[in-house]
Amino acid sequence: MPSCVLAYSGGLDTSVILGWLQDEGYDVHAVYVDLGQPCEDREAILQKAKDCGAVSSRIVDGREEMCRDFAFPVLQWQAKYESIYLLGTSIARPLISKLCLQVAKEVGADAYAHGATGKGNDQCRFQLAAEALDPSVKVIAPWRIKRFRDKFPGRTELIAYCNEKNIPVKASTAKPYSSDENCLHISYEAGELEDLGVNGVELVDFGMTVSPQEAPDQAETVTIKVEKGIPTHVNGEKCTALEVVTKLNEIGGRNGIGRIDMVENRFVGMKSRGVYEAPGMTILYDALLNVEQLTLDRDLIHLRDQLKSIVAEDVYNGFWYNAKFDALLAFIQNAMEKCTGEVTFKLYKGNIIVDSRSSETSLYDEGIATMEGGGSYNQDDAEGFLRIQGLPSRVQGRVTPRPY
């Protein structure tokens, strides 16, 4: 009998898919990838998978690896999709595929199945990652299979199937939107959020942040140390990557940091509205930016900034495991070699305010930068500098005068 690994959450969709795959003749190995998403009873999820016929079920902890090897390199690039989105879901998907394929190799499974729909981005991220890691892999995406959609055209049919198969599902009313979460962020989309006339941040019941209006009336100070472009300390305490993110989620969350509402362009072509919260990562983007401003060469930073939108698109679209992205990761690791320093923020009602910053490798020279008299910058030098810079314009001005 063929076998497959299923990326399993224990929710309605993957519970149905587990049963359907068995109906299709597969032995199913259920894998719950722990990326920091809240779960009331993980053992109950494993037991549910076994009770529903999975030949094996397991939790794989990917939290530290996601923060260290996926989120932090994207952070170093200052990569934000369409200038806003911090890519929390996008970053997680190639890791989920990697961990599921590792299990597939261990158990000798023939295929890898997931519950992503045929209209979204996640199907791209799951499959492109899987095929890059194992070109021979068979990816099963039930929502792209017509006979599956015909059998389950809506939530009513999914629940009826669970009742028929004695698959336990929560009989709660569906939220007016869907959500996806990990320790980097929570995303909210679909349902009532598809109406652009609805205020997203008022509709959503946020899980990581209080609203700026409800945040404390006193600013909270937080200090972050960065070493070679990697956040290593929070308030003087050395932390793992996961600990950095977790601590800053708590600190930023209670101060209303990191909520956004945007309309983005999905890889499959449509525009989609998403509401996101990412308190810890929002603080880290600002922290690294302030250390970069002190320590990195102008032309290097400008080159990085020309490329960062390419990085964001590749992460968003699912092209993590390819030659171009390998080269981009190598570039940023080298670029961040001197990016070491410390920044202190005051957090106040959704705002991040720089209190101080310092670095032993700072390129900022007060003696050069000062606007006061003296210093080591000779203003006479600017005369020749500007004559040379202006030479092409003077020639063009004589040949093709501009009206003014």
Side-chain angles (χ1 to χ4, degrees):
M1 180 178 289
S3 62
C4 75
V5 164
L6 169 65
Y8 181 75
S9 69
L12 179 60
D13 282 19
T14 55
S15 294
V16 170
I17 289 170
L18 172 57
W20 182 82
L21 288 168
Q22 294 173 80
D23 295 342
E24 293 286 302
Y26 283 93
D27 282 338
V28 182
H29 300 270
V31 177
Y32 177 90
V33 179
D34 182 1
L35 298 176
Q37 59 272 49
C39 180
E40 293 178 0
D41 191 341
R42 298 179 184 183
E43 292 304 317
I45 286 182
L46 298 186
Q47 190 59 50
K48 176 180 176 179
K50 293 176 183 175
D51 292 345
C52 293
V55 296
S56 74
S57 63
R58 68 179 74 186
I59 291 175
V60 179
D61 189 345
R63 294 174 298 166
E64 184 68 38
E65 184 176 2
M66 181 177 68
C67 294
R68 182 190 65 231
D69 298 338
F70 289 77
F72 281 8
V74 175
L75 164 68
Q76 290 178 318
W77 272 102
Q78 289 287 325
K80 301 178 183 180
Y81 184 66
E82 297 183 339
S83 303
I84 303 176
Y85 172 40
L86 301 189
L87 298 160
T89 297
S90 318
I91 288 166
R93 297 326 194 197
L95 176 58
I96 291 173
S97 284
K98 173 188 171 183
L99 295 175
C100 285
L101 288 182
Q102 288 174 345
V103 174
K105 183 186 296 186
E106 177 188 332
V107 301
D110 308 291
Y112 163 46
H114 62 76
T117 75
K119 295 183 72 174
N121 297 307
D122 282 340
Q123 59 171 338
C124 309
R125 298 159 184 161
F126 284 136
Q127 183 154 342
L128 292 171
E131 291 183 348
L133 293 172
D134 181 1
S136 66
V137 68
K138 178 181 180 181
V139 177
I140 302 174
W143 286 112
R144 297 205 305 260
I145 299 172
K146 187 175 186 301
R147 67 179 181 278
F148 181 87
R149 296 196 306 275
D150 288 344
K151 186 177 180 68
F152 304 109
R155 182 178 175 86
T156 300
E157 289 78 13
L158 293 170
I159 293 174
Y161 178 84
C162 290
N163 292 334
E164 177 189 339
K165 294 280 189 176
N166 293 317
I167 300 171
V169 291
K170 293 181 179 179
S172 59
T173 304
K175 288 184 177 180
Y177 50 81
S178 64
S179 63
D180 180 81
E181 50 197 86
N182 57 47
C183 62
L184 303 177
H185 85 156
I186 304 179
S187 65
Y188 308 89
E189 62 180 8
E192 292 184 18
L193 288 173
E194 292 174 353
D195 179 359
L196 299 184
V198 170
N199 185 314
V201 296
E202 291 181 358
L203 172 68
V204 167
D205 181 15
F206 287 95
M208 299 176 81
T209 58
V210 303
S211 71
Q213 295 92 328
E214 295 173 351
D217 293 331
Q218 288 292 116
E220 180 173 356
T221 299
V222 61
T223 298
I224 299 156
K225 184 176 181 181
V226 171
E227 297 178 358
K228 296 185 177 182
I230 299 169
T232 58
H233 294 70
V234 176
N235 290 333
E237 181 179 348
K238 186 169 180 58
C239 301
T240 67
L242 176 60
E243 288 169 346
V244 168
V245 173
T246 302
K247 287 178 183 292
L248 291 177
N249 278 340
E250 182 180 343
I251 294 169
R254 63 177 174 248
N255 286 285
I257 304 296
R259 294 182 175 186
I260 64 169
D261 180 346
M262 67 181 291
V263 174
E264 67 199 58
N265 291 290
R266 285 184 179 173
F267 188 25
V268 293
M270 69 188 74
K271 288 187 180 290
S272 172
R273 195 262 191 95
V275 175
Y276 302 96
E277 58 177 337
M281 292 305 297
T282 298
I283 294 170
L284 286 176
Y285 267 73
D286 275 27
L288 187 59
L289 180 64
N290 276 274
V291 177
E292 289 172 4
Q293 290 171 350
L294 293 182
T295 59
L296 298 191
D297 170 77
R298 177 191 66 186
D299 291 341
L300 175 59
I301 280 293
H302 290 182
L303 176 60
R304 193 280 308 273
D305 287 350
Q306 290 173 38
L307 295 172
K308 67 183 181 183
S309 63
I310 296 173
V311 172
E313 286 186 9
D314 278 358
V315 174
Y316 186 85
N317 295 341
F319 292 104
W320 188 278
Y321 301 113
N322 67 24
K324 179 178 73 171
F325 205 75
D326 290 341
L328 290 167
L329 290 177
F331 169 88
I332 202 62
Q333 184 175 1
N334 180 276
M336 289 287 150
E337 190 67 26
K338 304 299 182 185
C339 186
T340 295
E342 192 170 86
V343 59
T344 297
F345 292 132
K346 286 184 176 177
L347 309 180
Y348 181 69
K349 293 188 178 296
N351 296 288
I352 302 173
I353 304 158
V354 179
D355 197 42
S356 66
R357 73 274 262 186
S358 63
S359 171
E360 293 181 359
T361 55
S362 174
L363 302 178
Y364 176 78
D365 187 324
E366 190 174 353
I368 293 176
T370 181
M371 298 298 289
E372 302 298 324
S376 56
Y377 181 91
N378 186 349
Q379 296 189 52
D380 293 348
D381 295 340
E383 186 67 35
F385 171 78
L386 284 169
R387 291 294 296 172
I388 295 297
Q389 292 295 315
L391 177 59
S393 296
R394 294 198 301 276
V395 172
Q396 291 173 32
R398 288 197 301 268
V399 175
T400 54
R402 294 174 182 270
Y404 64 94

